[in-house]
Amino acid sequence: MSAWRFSRYFLGSAPSITEARRFVTALLRGSPIVGEAELIVSELATNAIRHSASGRFGGRFLVTVQAHPDRFWLGVLDEGGPSSPKVFRPSMGAEGGRGLLLVSTLALDWGVWGDDRGRTVWAVLRSQPQTASCS
Ligand SMILES: Nc1ncnc2c1ncn2[C@@H]1O[C@H](COP(=O)(O)OP(=O)(O)O)[C@@H](O)[C@H]1O
Ligand SMILES: [Mg+2]
């Protein structure tokens, strides 16, 4: 697969979650990991709106999908703020959701760049599901 990259801004309000998911669906249509990518972008877009300055009136966030020969990189750039992403572990009880825990489970790798002026939460997915190898 050739390398490509697309980015799109979305308004920081609830309808954009579906729009961001559709953006990813359209880009990854036919890929075996489209379902995982849709889930991840939904979680990250929801977080950008709920937990960062992107959710303020006039706020926005940027979704990027980048294809590499064997993997996809998905990133959501928000407008920052005082809170930073943290994974709730099951041992931490019922407080908080499980969005980033789900992202960390689905992704080959994930992370956060940036600071209170803007953060990118990113995840990498294999473009093909891993197959068992016998050697
Ligand atoms: N983009 C973000 N900007 C700032 N804080 C974030 C962001 N994403 C997640 N967080 C923080 O990490 C926590 C865990 O996120 P998540 O696992 O998605 O659970 P939930 O969104 O249901 O609280 C959030 O409660 C929030 O405090
Ligand atoms: Mg969340």
Side-chain angles (χ1 to χ4, degrees), residues 4-73:
W4 50 258
R5 178 174 61 181
F6 286 96
S7 295
R8 186 181 293 175
Y9 277 106
F10 297 88
L11 290 178
S13 54
S16 296
I17 299 165
T18 305
E19 290 165 16
R21 196 179 62 238
R22 288 190 183 138
F23 174 62
V24 166
T25 310
L27 288 173
L28 300 185
R29 182 158 284 133
S31 161
I33 54 81
V34 64
E36 283 96 325
E38 288 169 346
L39 265 176
I40 289 174
V41 81
S42 298
E43 291 299 334
L44 299 185
T46 302
N47 282 350
I49 295 168
R50 283 177 58 187
H51 304 303
S52 86
S54 297
R56 292 194 300 211
F57 183 74
R60 58 187 192 160
F61 61 91
L62 180 73
V63 176
T64 298
V65 181
Q66 193 166 328
H68 296 270
D70 60 346
R71 57 199 61 194
F72 292 108
W73 186 97

